[in-house]
Amino acid sequence: MHVIIGGAYNGKRKYIAKQLEGQAVDWCDDLQHSNIENEHAEILVITDLEKQIEPFLNEPEKEVAETFFYKIVKNGFKYKSIYVIIEDIGRGVVPIFSEKRKLRDVLGRLYQLLFAESQTITRIWYGIPQKIK
Amino acid sequence: MVSTNSHFITGGVRSGKSAFAEQLVRQTAQQTNRKMYYIASGVAFDDEMKQRIAWHQADRTSLKWTTIEQPTHFATLVNRIPKDAVVLWDCVTTWLTNEMYVQLDDESMQWQHVERFQQRVEEAKEWCRHLNEQHIPFFIVSNEVLDESKYESEEVEFYRKQIGLFHQWLVSFCAVAIEMDYGIPHYWKGGK
């Protein structure tokens, strides 16, 4: 597993698309209904976790994070490698709405699990990569 | 194309990015005998902002700066910078806000007219390219504003996207890209 992290609109997808250019890649923005388009794809790229987690924010933080972590791992079984693109949202002002605070908390927990699991972590800053693991 | 003598400097609020950029400009001015030009994009809309601008002005009094107030419309700036200048533009985030809220004749805001807005962004890029062609060194200051979660507001998301895209362009165009962390510069691109 490889993690790509960075702020919003920093060129994370553009960077990974370029890295994987010419290879058969499945892009997945919905783990519930993963529609696998390419039978021969060896690489899975997972995006939009922020959006997918939103409906589950009433459930306990740790459970939601773990459930999503296992979903990611399970979806990745048939691939040689998985790339997970995640948005760093933990550095702003503490949001006034509890839902938004909860989203940051759950994502933070999930990111910790992903960081521990992955072989490489790359931070993207306006298109420039920095290996942090 | 990568410009040869340009710096992009960004960081969080009060990270020391303006002071650091001004120091780099002073060094360049002294070493290459150039005149210092300050492109100010901040508009004082309340007392706190006036105070903030006054502080920045006081910081610049020790050496001779020429200040050009340029909240919007960089196409008009192209011929106002002499060849022996070194330029500091502070900052991108206020400029982009100003461009968004230019009020048009029908009382709509410029950001609601995407093509027109994009045109203004292109003009700012064109100005950077122009400085580069004239071999005028320039330093551009901006803010880190993209490390928090999505906003419901279409306006704010538009702003965040435009900032992100413009920063990506600046990082690819400038020779040196620096992120300030409370006084300590991290060089993402180019060396000292």
Side-chain angles (χ1 to χ4, degrees), chain B residues 40-60:
Chain B
S41 288
V43 179
F45 48 80
D46 64 13
D47 286 345
E48 190 276 341
M49 199 67 189
K50 276 181 200 150
Q51 182 64 57
R52 197 176 279 262
I53 289 171
W55 275 330
H56 278 287
Q57 282 169 346
D59 279 347
R60 296 197 304 272

Side-chain angles (χ1 to χ4, degrees), chain A residues 6-11 14 87-93 95 100 103-104 123-130, chain B residues 8 10 143-152 157 160-161 164-165 167-168 171 177-179 186 188-189:
Chain A
Y9 308 111
N10 266 252
K14 211 192 289 172
E87 203 164 289
D88 195 358
I89 63 166
R91 295 170 171 215
V93 176
K100 289 269 172 197
L103 178 64
R104 300 196 328 165
R123 188 181 160 210
I124 304 293
W125 185 78
Y126 307 120
I128 297 181
Q130 179 192 32
Chain B
F8 172 58
T10 173
N143 269 74
E144 290 290 348
V145 293
L146 297 173
D147 295 323
E148 51 185 356
S149 54
K150 222 174 155 56
Y151 281 76
E152 304 300 334
E157 272 310 299
R160 279 159 44 90
K161 183 174 183 182
L165 293 175
H167 282 182
Q168 286 182 46
V171 166
I178 300 164
E179 183 185 9
H186 174 72
W188 281 91
K189 180 182 177 185

Side-chain angles (χ1 to χ4, degrees), chain A residues 46-125:
Chain A
I46 295 169
T47 64
D48 296 273
L49 287 169
E50 310 79 24
K51 201 173 68 194
Q52 297 180 54
I53 277 179
E54 259 172 42
F56 301 95
L57 293 179
N58 291 325
E59 292 164 35
E61 176 183 315
K62 205 166 161 236
E63 277 169 38
V64 182
E66 280 170 2
T67 307
F68 267 84
F69 177 70
Y70 290 120
K71 273 188 209 169
I72 291 166
V73 173
K74 214 176 113 203
N75 271 269
F77 274 151
K78 64 173 278 242
Y79 296 91
K80 276 196 178 153
S81 49
I82 326 172
Y83 289 79
V84 190
I85 298 179
I86 61 183
E87 203 164 289
D88 195 358
I89 63 166
R91 295 170 171 215
V93 176
V94 177
I96 191 157
F97 298 110
S98 68
E99 286 259 301
K100 289 269 172 197
R101 291 198 295 271
K102 192 79 193 293
L103 178 64
R104 300 196 328 165
D105 295 344
V106 173
L107 284 176
R109 263 197 200 280
L110 174 59
Y111 293 175
Q112 286 192 33
L113 296 171
L114 294 172
F115 272 35
E117 176 72 17
S118 50
Q119 293 104 291
T120 72
I121 302 165
T122 309
R123 188 181 160 210
I124 304 293
W125 185 78

Side-chain angles (χ1 to χ4, degrees), chain B residues 155-169:
Chain B
E155 230 166 305
V156 180
E157 272 310 299
F158 178 84
Y159 178 75
R160 279 159 44 90
K161 183 174 183 182
Q162 296 303 323
I163 278 286
L165 293 175
F166 195 67
H167 282 182
Q168 286 182 46
W169 182 81

Side-chain angles (χ1 to χ4, degrees), chain B residues 14-61:
Chain B
R14 288 278 179 271
S15 60
K17 54 194 185 302
S18 294
F20 182 71
E22 282 165 27
Q23 183 197 325
L24 292 178
V25 171
R26 274 195 291 272
Q27 275 172 11
T28 307
Q30 279 158 11
Q31 285 163 6
T32 58
N33 201 23
R34 285 174 177 274
K35 298 191 179 84
M36 297 189 293
Y37 273 71
Y38 187 88
I39 313 303
S41 288
V43 179
F45 48 80
D46 64 13
D47 286 345
E48 190 276 341
M49 199 67 189
K50 276 181 200 150
Q51 182 64 57
R52 197 176 279 262
I53 289 171
W55 275 330
H56 278 287
Q57 282 169 346
D59 279 347
R60 296 197 304 272
T61 49

